[in-house]
Amino acid sequence: MKIKFCRQVNTKGNSEHQQSRALLSDDKIDNMHADLATENGTGVKQSDSLAENRDWHLYILRTADNRLYTGITTCIERRFKQHQSGSGAKALRNAGELILVYQIKTAGHSEALKMEYRIKQLTKAKKEKLVKDQPSIEQLTMLLNH
């Protein structure tokens, strides 16, 4: 399975606030963006527009005890390593070997969040079918909207 590589963050010349945000993981920033965002004059929060401009991916991991964990990220390789090292989601700490069983690029942060929520509402059997079928983004959208 192909894993997307992270892009490097250049903090040279950025304010102290921007540099400290660059040191945080993307997921922490995503969770905090509503609190940290400032208006940019267009009525759109600056961090929201930055989050939407990135490539967002939805992923599903299988744990050693056969649980399925769904998440979103801008960098699957980085996030997978965080989960494996125990510095990712608490639900995956001490979960043993993790296997990336599904990943898909979404249209943006908002779509990724909505899809993640909808997948988390599915039964285990429906999640297993999703992993087995490996639907395209169009098929997944149709599946989750019905």
Side-chain angles (χ1 to χ4, degrees):
M1 188 169 283
K2 188 174 181 181
I3 296 179
K4 181 183 179 226
F5 289 94
C6 304
R7 60 184 173 158
Q8 295 294 318
V9 177
N10 181 2
T11 59
K12 186 176 181 181
N14 289 347
S15 70
E16 184 176 313
H17 173 71
Q18 289 170 323
Q19 288 179 12
S20 67
R21 285 193 60 181
L23 295 175
L24 293 173
S25 74
D26 288 340
D27 297 309
K28 285 183 183 176
I29 291 171
D30 299 337
N31 292 334
M32 297 175 359
H33 71 85
D35 297 331
L36 298 176
T38 57
E39 295 295 326
N40 63 7
T42 64
V44 176
K45 291 181 180 177
Q46 185 176 6
S47 64
D48 287 347
S49 62
L50 289 173
E52 279 303 321
N53 289 334
R54 296 182 182 171
D55 287 340
W56 282 90
H57 301 265
L58 178 132
Y59 63 93
I60 300 177
L61 301 175
R62 185 178 306 279
T63 64
D65 62 357
N66 209 31
R67 289 180 292 135
L68 293 174
Y69 173 86
T70 304
I72 64 171
T73 186
T74 56
C75 181
I76 291 175
E77 180 183 34
R78 174 191 46 79
R79 192 66 177 144
F80 186 77
K81 286 179 182 177
Q82 287 174 334
H83 288 312
Q84 283 186 315
S85 71
S87 64
K90 288 182 183 178
L92 295 177
R93 293 187 185 155
N94 301 316
E97 181 184 5
L98 302 174
I99 302 168
L100 180 63
V101 293
Y102 182 71
Q103 67 172 326
I104 195 157
K105 182 178 173 183
T106 66
H109 185 234
S110 178
E111 181 185 46
L113 282 170
K114 290 173 188 174
M115 288 184 157
E116 176 189 30
Y117 174 79
R118 289 182 182 131
I119 289 173
K120 287 183 175 184
Q121 304 306 305
L122 297 175
T123 64
K124 173 84 185 296
K126 288 184 180 179
K127 290 177 193 176
E128 290 289 358
K129 182 168 175 26
L130 190 153
V131 169
K132 179 181 175 261
D133 294 347
Q134 297 285 308
S136 67
I137 190 69
E138 294 83 11
Q139 294 166 330
L140 182 62
T141 301
M142 286 180 56
L143 174 76
L144 296 176
N145 288 331
H146 286 97

